[in-house]
């Protein structure tokens, strides 16, 4: 969802109090930022932030951190926060490849991946957020009972994500190939921007919940 060259977005992000500017300095100390001991949940590739903002509003007893690579997209989330501030949500602009430099061991209680970029070329498989390379990173930062939830409408990416579980040594806890017709897994579902767009076209939404 890259919106190219939103004028001034980098500068606005650098000034925003909703964005953590030097996230590596917070490694191991994220709860201090929130001033409580509540669980920490992160969304990697939050896009314009609809999902994580709705989650933060619904669950004030959970601390949320939204991660997005591109300023031109993240800026939309910041603009929404300026209108409706949420005390339990911060943003980081970074590439998730650096995730273990930013969060300490077992510091994160849940990771959300929503409609991650498919990177269809085989030589780019390592860039896919549910790849074994990323699962190895997530394993380090997830707490004992931590887990990861992934939603997509991209069947090739979902098949790939399922195949990565065994080599990465993760457990499959829940699975659906049609989330919106699965009453149990739909409980408490919060729609993302992409989810709304693709499900309204009739695409089934795939989801799994996994743990290391
Ligand atoms: N999660 C949102 C949703 O479901 O509506 C946005 C989905 S969009 C297809 C994927 C987003 O992930 C893009 O905004 C992209 O910039 C971001 N992204 C992709 N790879 C990333 C990475 N390595 N680190 C951080 N963000 C990433």
């Amino acid at each position: 969802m890259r919106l190219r060259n939103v004028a001034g977005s980098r500068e606005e992000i650098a000034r925003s109090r909703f964005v953590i500017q030097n996230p590596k300095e917070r490694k191991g100390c994220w709860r201090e930022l929130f001033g409580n001991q509540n669980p920490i949940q992160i969304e990697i590739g939050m896009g314009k932030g609809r999902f994580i903002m709705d989650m933060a509003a619904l669950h004030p007893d959970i601390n949320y951190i939204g991660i997005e690579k591109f300023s031109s997209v993240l800026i939309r989330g910041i603009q929404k926060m300026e209108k409706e501030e949420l005390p339990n949500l911060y943003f980081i602009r970074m590439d998730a490849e650096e995730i273990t430099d930013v969060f300490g061991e077992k510091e994160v209680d849940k990771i959300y991946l929503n409609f991650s970029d498919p990177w269809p070329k085989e030589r780019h498989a390592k860039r896919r957020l549910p790849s074994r390379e990323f699962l190895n990173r997530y394993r380090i930062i997830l707490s004992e009972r931590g887990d990861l939830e992934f939603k997509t409408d991209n069947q090739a990416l979902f098949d790939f994500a399922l195949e990565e579980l065994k080599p990465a040594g993760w457990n499959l806890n829940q699975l659906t190939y049609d989330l919106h017709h699965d009453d149990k897994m739909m409980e408490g579902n919060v729609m993302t921007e992409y989810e709304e767009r693709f499900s309204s076209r009739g695409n089934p939404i795939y989801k799994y919940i996994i743990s290391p």
Side-chain angles (χ1 to χ4, degrees):
M1 85 153 63
R2 183 153 24 153
L3 308 173
R4 286 173 205 279
N5 301 327
V6 174
S9 59
R10 269 193 175 258
E11 293 73 14
E12 205 173 324
I13 285 168
R15 278 196 308 269
S16 174
R17 66 197 161 95
F18 305 125
V19 180
I20 302 305
Q21 303 297 340
N22 298 303
K24 291 180 187 172
E25 291 172 9
R26 299 259 174 199
K27 183 173 176 175
C29 311
W30 282 96
R31 283 188 174 80
E32 283 173 21
L33 173 72
F34 294 98
N36 60 49
Q37 291 301 311
N38 292 341
I40 294 178
Q41 302 191 354
I42 67 176
E43 184 188 11
I44 301 178
M46 57 166 260
K48 297 178 191 170
R50 169 176 162 180
F51 170 83
I52 196 132
M53 295 183 74
D54 286 351
M55 290 291 282
L58 276 170
H59 305 286
D61 295 341
I62 296 175
N63 300 322
Y64 290 92
I65 299 169
I67 294 169
E68 172 52 49
K69 187 159 62 167
F70 291 112
S71 306
S72 51
V73 187
L74 176 57
I75 194 70
R76 303 300 178 205
I78 292 167
Q79 288 163 349
K80 282 187 254 173
M81 273 279 266
E82 273 156 12
K83 287 189 194 131
E84 193 200 331
E85 193 170 334
L86 292 157
N88 56 333
L89 173 62
Y90 286 94
F91 302 126
I92 305 175
R93 194 193 61 74
M94 64 176 262
D95 190 315
E97 282 193 8
E98 297 186 43
I99 200 87
T100 53
D101 297 330
V102 167
F103 295 100
E105 280 180 37
K106 305 187 192 321
E107 197 171 16
V108 171
D109 296 286
K110 193 184 275 287
I111 298 173
Y112 294 100
L113 304 178
N114 292 316
F115 297 79
S116 306
D117 294 335
W119 292 106
K121 289 186 182 140
E122 199 42 49
R123 67 189 156 90
H124 290 148
K126 286 183 183 173
R127 297 188 193 173
R128 297 173 193 155
L129 292 177
S131 67
R132 68 190 74 179
E133 287 78 10
F134 273 100
L135 292 178
N136 288 338
R137 298 179 181 117
Y138 304 149
R139 175 194 290 282
I140 295 168
I141 64 169
L142 269 181
S143 64
E144 299 289 349
R145 300 234 207 121
D147 59 10
L148 180 152
E149 302 195 5
F150 172 49
K151 293 194 275 194
T152 183
D153 72 318
N154 186 312
Q155 190 175 354
L157 180 65
F158 194 64
D159 289 344
F160 167 83
L162 284 169
E163 282 162 17
E164 291 294 89
L165 297 182
K166 202 167 171 196
W170 284 56
N171 302 308
L172 181 62
N173 303 333
Q174 289 185 58
L175 169 74
T176 176
Y177 288 94
D178 192 356
L179 175 65
H180 290 200
H181 294 99
D182 183 319
D183 291 346
K184 187 162 173 276
M185 285 191 76
M186 255 320 253
E187 253 173 53
N189 185 59
V190 167
M191 296 262 264
T192 81
E193 260 141 10
Y194 272 61
E195 184 174 354
E196 179 152 294
R197 188 184 307 169
F198 293 122
S199 62
S200 70
R201 291 180 194 166
N203 297 9
I205 306 299
Y206 313 114
K207 176 173 179 172
Y208 71 35
I209 303 177
I210 59 171
S211 55

mmCIF file of all heavy atoms in Angstrom, residues 1-2 43-48 51 67-70 73 94-97 113-117 119 127 129 134 192-195, ligand 1:
data_model
loop_
_atom_site.group_PDB
_atom_site.id
_atom_site.type_symbol
_atom_site.label_atom_id
_atom_site.label_comp_id
_atom_site.label_asym_id
_atom_site.label_seq_id
_atom_site.Cartn_x
_atom_site.Cartn_y
_atom_site.Cartn_z
ATOM 1 N N MET A 1 0.823 -1.197 0.000
ATOM 2 C CA MET A 1 0.000 0.000 0.000
ATOM 3 C C MET A 1 0.861 1.252 0.000
ATOM 4 O O MET A 1 0.543 2.239 0.575
ATOM 5 C CB MET A 1 -0.991 -0.039 1.164
ATOM 6 C CG MET A 1 -0.553 0.444 2.508
ATOM 7 S SD MET A 1 -1.920 1.053 3.475
ATOM 8 C CE MET A 1 -2.933 -0.388 3.688
ATOM 9 N N ARG A 2 1.979 1.200 -0.673
ATOM 10 C CA ARG A 2 2.870 2.349 -0.623
ATOM 11 C C ARG A 2 2.263 3.532 -1.357
ATOM 12 O O ARG A 2 1.934 3.453 -2.517
ATOM 13 C CB ARG A 2 4.203 1.990 -1.241
ATOM 14 C CG ARG A 2 5.160 3.131 -1.142
ATOM 15 C CD ARG A 2 6.615 2.780 -1.117
ATOM 16 N NE ARG A 2 7.000 1.525 -1.708
ATOM 17 C CZ ARG A 2 8.210 1.338 -2.221
ATOM 18 N NH1 ARG A 2 9.087 2.330 -2.234
ATOM 19 N NH2 ARG A 2 8.546 0.179 -2.726
ATOM 20 N N GLU A 43 1.622 -5.130 15.838
ATOM 21 C CA GLU A 43 1.240 -5.464 14.464
ATOM 22 C C GLU A 43 2.390 -5.070 13.557
ATOM 23 O O GLU A 43 2.829 -3.916 13.581
ATOM 24 C CB GLU A 43 -0.040 -4.751 14.006
ATOM 25 C CG GLU A 43 -0.438 -5.218 12.600
ATOM 26 C CD GLU A 43 -1.598 -4.448 11.947
ATOM 27 O OE1 GLU A 43 -1.998 -3.397 12.480
ATOM 28 O OE2 GLU A 43 -2.080 -4.908 10.899
ATOM 29 N N ILE A 44 2.855 -6.016 12.754
ATOM 30 C CA ILE A 44 3.961 -5.739 11.830
ATOM 31 C C ILE A 44 3.379 -5.527 10.441
ATOM 32 O O ILE A 44 2.698 -6.411 9.908
ATOM 33 C CB ILE A 44 4.978 -6.889 11.833
ATOM 34 C CG1 ILE A 44 5.545 -7.089 13.246
ATOM 35 C CG2 ILE A 44 6.091 -6.606 10.825
ATOM 36 C CD1 ILE A 44 6.530 -8.242 13.373
ATOM 37 N N GLY A 45 3.616 -4.347 9.876
ATOM 38 C CA GLY A 45 3.028 -3.992 8.587
ATOM 39 C C GLY A 45 1.625 -3.466 8.793
ATOM 40 O O GLY A 45 0.668 -3.938 8.178
ATOM 41 N N MET A 46 1.504 -2.457 9.661
ATOM 42 C CA MET A 46 0.171 -1.960 10.074
ATOM 43 C C MET A 46 -0.519 -1.121 9.002
ATOM 44 O O MET A 46 -1.711 -0.828 9.127
ATOM 45 C CB MET A 46 0.294 -1.117 11.349
ATOM 46 C CG MET A 46 1.257 0.046 11.190
ATOM 47 S SD MET A 46 1.151 1.283 12.488
ATOM 48 C CE MET A 46 0.161 2.551 11.684
ATOM 49 N N GLY A 47 0.229 -0.739 7.956
ATOM 50 C CA GLY A 47 -0.393 0.100 6.934
ATOM 51 C C GLY A 47 -0.871 1.414 7.534
ATOM 52 O O GLY A 47 -0.175 2.052 8.316
ATOM 53 N N LYS A 48 -2.110 1.785 7.219
ATOM 54 C CA LYS A 48 -2.642 3.065 7.717
ATOM 55 C C LYS A 48 -3.189 2.957 9.136
ATOM 56 O O LYS A 48 -3.697 3.928 9.685
ATOM 57 C CB LYS A 48 -3.752 3.551 6.791
ATOM 58 C CG LYS A 48 -3.267 3.835 5.380
ATOM 59 C CD LYS A 48 -4.440 4.272 4.511
ATOM 60 C CE LYS A 48 -4.056 4.311 3.050
ATOM 61 N NZ LYS A 48 -5.235 4.505 2.187
ATOM 62 N N PHE A 51 -6.612 -1.378 11.918
ATOM 63 C CA PHE A 51 -6.745 -2.544 12.809
ATOM 64 C C PHE A 51 -6.187 -2.237 14.195
ATOM 65 O O PHE A 51 -6.874 -2.418 15.206
ATOM 66 C CB PHE A 51 -6.007 -3.739 12.175
ATOM 67 C CG PHE A 51 -5.854 -4.929 13.086
ATOM 68 C CD1 PHE A 51 -6.881 -5.847 13.236
ATOM 69 C CD2 PHE A 51 -4.667 -5.144 13.787
ATOM 70 C CE1 PHE A 51 -6.736 -6.950 14.076
ATOM 71 C CE2 PHE A 51 -4.521 -6.247 14.620
ATOM 72 C CZ PHE A 51 -5.550 -7.145 14.759
ATOM 73 N N ILE A 67 3.881 -1.274 13.756
ATOM 74 C CA ILE A 67 5.156 -1.146 13.040
ATOM 75 C C ILE A 67 4.877 -1.040 11.546
ATOM 76 O O ILE A 67 4.117 -1.854 10.993
ATOM 77 C CB ILE A 67 6.044 -2.365 13.343
ATOM 78 C CG1 ILE A 67 6.428 -2.343 14.824
ATOM 79 C CG2 ILE A 67 7.285 -2.393 12.445
ATOM 80 C CD1 ILE A 67 7.068 -3.614 15.317
ATOM 81 N N GLU A 68 5.492 -0.053 10.909
ATOM 82 C CA GLU A 68 5.283 0.143 9.474
ATOM 83 C C GLU A 68 6.587 0.663 8.861
ATOM 84 O O GLU A 68 7.259 1.500 9.437
ATOM 85 C CB GLU A 68 4.124 1.140 9.242
ATOM 86 C CG GLU A 68 3.916 1.586 7.818
ATOM 87 C CD GLU A 68 3.790 0.459 6.793
ATOM 88 O OE1 GLU A 68 3.012 -0.489 7.004
ATOM 89 O OE2 GLU A 68 4.510 0.529 5.772
ATOM 90 N N LYS A 69 6.881 0.107 7.672
ATOM 91 C CA LYS A 69 8.146 0.441 7.010
ATOM 92 C C LYS A 69 8.101 1.807 6.331
ATOM 93 O O LYS A 69 9.099 2.509 6.305
ATOM 94 C CB LYS A 69 8.430 -0.665 5.983
ATOM 95 C CG LYS A 69 9.758 -0.594 5.328
ATOM 96 C CD LYS A 69 10.201 -1.933 4.734
ATOM 97 C CE LYS A 69 9.300 -2.471 3.652
ATOM 98 N NZ LYS A 69 9.923 -3.581 2.903
ATOM 99 N N PHE A 70 6.967 2.168 5.778
ATOM 100 C CA PHE A 70 6.939 3.354 4.921
ATOM 101 C C PHE A 70 6.266 4.563 5.572
ATOM 102 O O PHE A 70 5.107 4.487 6.010
ATOM 103 C CB PHE A 70 6.242 3.046 3.595
ATOM 104 C CG PHE A 70 7.042 2.121 2.743
ATOM 105 C CD1 PHE A 70 6.614 0.838 2.484
ATOM 106 C CD2 PHE A 70 8.271 2.518 2.208
ATOM 107 C CE1 PHE A 70 7.364 -0.039 1.724
ATOM 108 C CE2 PHE A 70 9.037 1.663 1.442
ATOM 109 C CZ PHE A 70 8.580 0.376 1.198
ATOM 110 N N VAL A 73 2.803 5.749 4.405
ATOM 111 C CA VAL A 73 1.627 5.008 4.871
ATOM 112 C C VAL A 73 1.381 5.312 6.347
ATOM 113 O O VAL A 73 0.260 5.629 6.770
ATOM 114 C CB VAL A 73 1.834 3.478 4.681
ATOM 115 C CG1 VAL A 73 0.553 2.744 5.005
ATOM 116 C CG2 VAL A 73 2.306 3.164 3.283
ATOM 117 N N MET A 94 9.896 1.378 10.924
ATOM 118 C CA MET A 94 11.101 0.552 10.777
ATOM 119 C C MET A 94 10.814 -0.647 9.876
ATOM 120 O O MET A 94 9.647 -0.972 9.610
ATOM 121 C CB MET A 94 11.560 0.019 12.140
ATOM 122 C CG MET A 94 10.575 -0.924 12.788
ATOM 123 S SD MET A 94 11.195 -1.621 14.341
ATOM 124 C CE MET A 94 11.775 -3.187 13.727
ATOM 125 N N ASP A 95 11.888 -1.276 9.431
ATOM 126 C CA ASP A 95 11.767 -2.548 8.725
ATOM 127 C C ASP A 95 11.788 -3.658 9.770
ATOM 128 O O ASP A 95 12.687 -3.688 10.626
ATOM 129 C CB ASP A 95 12.942 -2.709 7.751
ATOM 130 C CG ASP A 95 12.736 -3.892 6.826
ATOM 131 O OD1 ASP A 95 12.325 -4.973 7.312
ATOM 132 O OD2 ASP A 95 12.959 -3.740 5.623
ATOM 133 N N ALA A 96 10.834 -4.553 9.699
ATOM 134 C CA ALA A 96 10.709 -5.614 10.708
ATOM 135 C C ALA A 96 11.922 -6.537 10.753
ATOM 136 O O ALA A 96 12.066 -7.306 11.694
ATOM 137 C CB ALA A 96 9.446 -6.423 10.447
ATOM 138 N N GLU A 97 12.801 -6.457 9.758
ATOM 139 C CA GLU A 97 14.027 -7.262 9.818
ATOM 140 C C GLU A 97 14.818 -6.952 11.081
ATOM 141 O O GLU A 97 15.611 -7.775 11.535
ATOM 142 C CB GLU A 97 14.902 -6.983 8.591
ATOM 143 C CG GLU A 97 14.380 -7.706 7.379
ATOM 144 C CD GLU A 97 15.360 -7.722 6.221
ATOM 145 O OE1 GLU A 97 16.510 -7.298 6.398
ATOM 146 O OE2 GLU A 97 14.936 -8.157 5.144
ATOM 147 N N LEU A 113 0.134 -10.303 12.031
ATOM 148 C CA LEU A 113 0.512 -10.035 10.633
ATOM 149 C C LEU A 113 -0.790 -10.001 9.855
ATOM 150 O O LEU A 113 -1.521 -10.999 9.839
ATOM 151 C CB LEU A 113 1.388 -11.161 10.070
ATOM 152 C CG LEU A 113 2.676 -11.524 10.804
ATOM 153 C CD1 LEU A 113 3.365 -12.699 10.094
ATOM 154 C CD2 LEU A 113 3.621 -10.328 10.878
ATOM 155 N N ASN A 114 -1.106 -8.886 9.247
ATOM 156 C CA ASN A 114 -2.356 -8.778 8.502
ATOM 157 C C ASN A 114 -2.083 -8.417 7.055
ATOM 158 O O ASN A 114 -1.509 -7.365 6.773
ATOM 159 C CB ASN A 114 -3.259 -7.716 9.136
ATOM 160 C CG ASN A 114 -3.770 -8.137 10.503
ATOM 161 O OD1 ASN A 114 -4.178 -9.286 10.686
ATOM 162 N ND2 ASN A 114 -3.744 -7.225 11.466
ATOM 163 N N PHE A 115 -2.464 -9.307 6.152
ATOM 164 C CA PHE A 115 -2.384 -9.041 4.714
ATOM 165 C C PHE A 115 -0.976 -8.586 4.328
ATOM 166 O O PHE A 115 -0.786 -7.596 3.630
ATOM 167 C CB PHE A 115 -3.487 -8.048 4.292
ATOM 168 C CG PHE A 115 -4.838 -8.643 4.524
ATOM 169 C CD1 PHE A 115 -5.389 -8.658 5.797
ATOM 170 C CD2 PHE A 115 -5.515 -9.272 3.491
ATOM 171 C CE1 PHE A 115 -6.603 -9.294 6.039
ATOM 172 C CE2 PHE A 115 -6.729 -9.914 3.722
ATOM 173 C CZ PHE A 115 -7.278 -9.917 5.002
ATOM 174 N N SER A 116 -0.011 -9.373 4.795
ATOM 175 C CA SER A 116 1.398 -9.061 4.536
ATOM 176 C C SER A 116 1.694 -9.109 3.040
ATOM 177 O O SER A 116 1.061 -9.871 2.288
ATOM 178 C CB SER A 116 2.282 -10.087 5.251
ATOM 179 O OG SER A 116 1.943 -10.143 6.622
ATOM 180 N N ASP A 117 2.675 -8.320 2.626
ATOM 181 C CA ASP A 117 3.053 -8.293 1.205
ATOM 182 C C ASP A 117 3.468 -9.704 0.762
ATOM 183 O O ASP A 117 4.233 -10.364 1.459
ATOM 184 C CB ASP A 117 4.219 -7.325 0.988
ATOM 185 C CG ASP A 117 3.811 -5.888 1.265
ATOM 186 O OD1 ASP A 117 2.612 -5.596 1.155
ATOM 187 O OD2 ASP A 117 4.683 -5.067 1.591
ATOM 188 N N TRP A 119 5.366 -10.844 -1.842
ATOM 189 C CA TRP A 119 6.694 -11.079 -2.435
ATOM 190 C C TRP A 119 6.669 -12.366 -3.251
ATOM 191 O O TRP A 119 7.290 -13.365 -2.876
ATOM 192 C CB TRP A 119 7.775 -11.160 -1.340
ATOM 193 C CG TRP A 119 8.022 -9.860 -0.649
ATOM 194 C CD1 TRP A 119 7.630 -9.523 0.609
ATOM 195 C CD2 TRP A 119 8.717 -8.709 -1.157
ATOM 196 N NE1 TRP A 119 8.030 -8.237 0.915
ATOM 197 C CE2 TRP A 119 8.699 -7.720 -0.146
ATOM 198 C CE3 TRP A 119 9.358 -8.409 -2.372
ATOM 199 C CZ2 TRP A 119 9.280 -6.457 -0.316
ATOM 200 C CZ3 TRP A 119 9.942 -7.156 -2.530
ATOM 201 C CH2 TRP A 119 9.898 -6.202 -1.519
ATOM 202 N N ARG A 127 11.824 -12.293 2.418
ATOM 203 C CA ARG A 127 11.215 -11.009 2.824
ATOM 204 C C ARG A 127 9.777 -11.182 3.288
ATOM 205 O O ARG A 127 9.182 -10.250 3.827
ATOM 206 C CB ARG A 127 11.222 -10.031 1.647
ATOM 207 C CG ARG A 127 12.613 -9.688 1.187
ATOM 208 C CD ARG A 127 12.533 -8.584 0.160
ATOM 209 N NE ARG A 127 13.801 -8.431 -0.542
ATOM 210 C CZ ARG A 127 13.998 -7.645 -1.579
ATOM 211 N NH1 ARG A 127 12.977 -6.942 -2.059
ATOM 212 N NH2 ARG A 127 15.159 -7.552 -2.152
ATOM 213 N N LEU A 129 6.812 -11.883 5.519
ATOM 214 C CA LEU A 129 6.784 -11.768 6.989
ATOM 215 C C LEU A 129 6.468 -13.078 7.707
ATOM 216 O O LEU A 129 6.891 -13.245 8.846
ATOM 217 C CB LEU A 129 5.828 -10.642 7.417
ATOM 218 C CG LEU A 129 6.292 -9.221 7.043
ATOM 219 C CD1 LEU A 129 5.240 -8.191 7.447
ATOM 220 C CD2 LEU A 129 7.627 -8.871 7.681
ATOM 221 N N PHE A 134 11.752 -14.923 9.396
ATOM 222 C CA PHE A 134 11.053 -14.034 10.334
ATOM 223 C C PHE A 134 10.555 -14.808 11.550
ATOM 224 O O PHE A 134 10.613 -14.305 12.674
ATOM 225 C CB PHE A 134 9.915 -13.289 9.634
ATOM 226 C CG PHE A 134 10.385 -12.016 8.973
ATOM 227 C CD1 PHE A 134 10.624 -11.965 7.617
ATOM 228 C CD2 PHE A 134 10.626 -10.871 9.721
ATOM 229 C CE1 PHE A 134 11.088 -10.803 7.006
ATOM 230 C CE2 PHE A 134 11.078 -9.700 9.134
ATOM 231 C CZ PHE A 134 11.310 -9.668 7.772
ATOM 232 N N THR A 192 -9.276 -5.381 9.140
ATOM 233 C CA THR A 192 -8.227 -4.473 8.683
ATOM 234 C C THR A 192 -8.737 -3.780 7.405
ATOM 235 O O THR A 192 -9.759 -4.193 6.836
ATOM 236 C CB THR A 192 -6.921 -5.232 8.363
ATOM 237 O OG1 THR A 192 -7.008 -5.806 7.068
ATOM 238 C CG2 THR A 192 -6.639 -6.329 9.384
ATOM 239 N N GLU A 193 -7.978 -2.767 6.970
ATOM 240 C CA GLU A 193 -8.384 -2.093 5.728
ATOM 241 C C GLU A 193 -8.435 -3.074 4.555
ATOM 242 O O GLU A 193 -9.397 -3.110 3.790
ATOM 243 C CB GLU A 193 -7.388 -0.977 5.401
ATOM 244 C CG GLU A 193 -7.880 0.375 5.803
ATOM 245 C CD GLU A 193 -6.779 1.247 6.387
ATOM 246 O OE1 GLU A 193 -5.594 0.885 6.317
ATOM 247 O OE2 GLU A 193 -7.134 2.308 6.928
ATOM 248 N N TYR A 194 -7.377 -3.878 4.424
ATOM 249 C CA TYR A 194 -7.319 -4.843 3.323
ATOM 250 C C TYR A 194 -8.393 -5.914 3.459
ATOM 251 O O TYR A 194 -8.958 -6.369 2.473
ATOM 252 C CB TYR A 194 -5.924 -5.483 3.257
ATOM 253 C CG TYR A 194 -4.962 -4.681 2.408
ATOM 254 C CD1 TYR A 194 -4.623 -3.377 2.739
ATOM 255 C CD2 TYR A 194 -4.385 -5.230 1.272
ATOM 256 C CE1 TYR A 194 -3.750 -2.641 1.965
ATOM 257 C CE2 TYR A 194 -3.500 -4.499 0.491
ATOM 258 C CZ TYR A 194 -3.184 -3.204 0.844
ATOM 259 O OH TYR A 194 -2.318 -2.477 0.071
ATOM 260 N N GLU A 195 -8.648 -6.308 4.683
ATOM 261 C CA GLU A 195 -9.664 -7.362 4.915
ATOM 262 C C GLU A 195 -11.031 -6.886 4.425
ATOM 263 O O GLU A 195 -11.772 -7.622 3.779
ATOM 264 C CB GLU A 195 -9.709 -7.681 6.410
ATOM 265 C CG GLU A 195 -10.644 -8.811 6.776
ATOM 266 C CD GLU A 195 -10.528 -9.185 8.263
ATOM 267 O OE1 GLU A 195 -9.645 -8.634 8.956
ATOM 268 O OE2 GLU A 195 -11.322 -10.006 8.716
HETATM 269 N N1 LIG B 1 -2.036 -4.609 7.706
HETATM 270 C C1 LIG B 1 -2.698 -3.644 6.861
HETATM 271 C C2 LIG B 1 -4.044 -4.172 6.444
HETATM 272 O O1 LIG B 1 -4.307 -5.364 6.610
HETATM 273 O O2 LIG B 1 -4.859 -3.370 5.958
HETATM 274 C C3 LIG B 1 -1.818 -3.255 5.647
HETATM 275 C C4 LIG B 1 -1.536 -4.353 4.668
HETATM 276 S S1 LIG B 1 -0.362 -3.853 3.412
HETATM 277 C C5 LIG B 1 -0.642 -4.980 2.121
HETATM 278 C C6 LIG B 1 1.171 -4.434 4.068
HETATM 279 C C7 LIG B 1 1.943 -3.374 4.827
HETATM 280 O O3 LIG B 1 3.085 -3.972 5.432
HETATM 281 C C8 LIG B 1 2.459 -2.243 3.955
HETATM 282 O O4 LIG B 1 2.056 -1.001 4.493
HETATM 283 C C9 LIG B 1 3.973 -2.408 3.986
HETATM 284 O O5 LIG B 1 4.671 -1.185 3.884
HETATM 285 C C10 LIG B 1 4.182 -3.077 5.326
HETATM 286 N N2 LIG B 1 5.408 -3.884 5.397
HETATM 287 C C11 LIG B 1 5.807 -4.817 4.497
HETATM 288 N N3 LIG B 1 6.984 -5.350 4.850
HETATM 289 C C12 LIG B 1 7.340 -4.748 6.011
HETATM 290 C C13 LIG B 1 8.466 -4.864 6.863
HETATM 291 N N4 LIG B 1 9.484 -5.708 6.567
HETATM 292 N N5 LIG B 1 8.525 -4.103 7.978
HETATM 293 C C14 LIG B 1 7.517 -3.238 8.258
HETATM 294 N N6 LIG B 1 6.422 -3.069 7.474
HETATM 295 C C15 LIG B 1 6.328 -3.816 6.369
#
